[in-house]
Amino acid sequence: MSRAAASKASKEAGKANAHIKAEQKEREKSLGLNGTIKSAIGADVLMCKACGATQLGPTKCECSGGRVKPALDDDGLAELIAAAKVRMAANSEANRQETMRKSEASGRLRTSQPFMSPQ
């Protein structure tokens, strides 16, 4: 193979890879994957395809027939995104509750008195 033919083949392979990568990014975008969710997924692994249980939670697999492993060609991205969103919502709620508790303890937030506007 000549250098020109090798260069042309390499260029065509690069275009094909770019097309595949663009399709993959479009799929991730359609599933709702963004930087925040990507970092929340981290090293999480799908444990059971049937119930959507992941290694980091929020649920553990309690399927009666045992775990259903995802197929080799299935990355389980939709389930990982769903689990990450549930974990993020739970963390957000816990942080909100903690902030409310601290505010009430410090006396900055008085929930028993109605809000009065300055005159």
Side-chain angles (χ1 to χ4, degrees):
M1 183 182 282
S2 69
R3 286 188 196 181
S7 175
K8 185 176 180 180
S10 174
K11 196 178 286 188
E12 289 173 358
K15 286 181 182 179
N17 287 341
H19 181 69
I20 291 170
K21 187 144 183 121
E23 286 178 352
Q24 181 181 6
K25 284 191 176 213
E26 184 62 35
R27 177 178 172 265
E28 290 173 353
K29 186 177 178 182
S30 69
L31 290 173
L33 184 66
N34 59 31
T36 306
I37 294 174
K38 198 172 202 176
S39 65
I41 289 174
D44 202 4
V45 178
L46 182 64
M47 302 300 282
C48 179
K49 182 74 172 172
C51 64
T54 64
Q55 191 172 16
L56 298 178
T59 59
K60 300 290 181 197
C61 179
E62 297 177 358
C63 296
S64 59
R67 290 187 207 159
V68 179
K69 294 183 179 179
L72 294 176
D73 61 342
D74 183 16
D75 59 359
L77 188 60
E79 290 83 1
L80 291 172
I81 290 172
K85 284 182 178 180
V86 170
R87 283 194 307 271
M88 288 170 55
N91 288 340
S92 176
E93 180 63 24
N95 289 341
R96 191 180 69 75
Q97 292 293 333
E98 182 67 18
T99 302
M100 290 290 289
R101 187 188 63 75
K102 285 181 181 178
S103 296
E104 289 175 355
S106 69
R108 284 189 274 163
L109 180 66
R110 295 186 182 107
T111 56
S112 60
Q113 297 178 354
F115 178 73
M116 299 182 77
S117 62
Q119 311 237 353

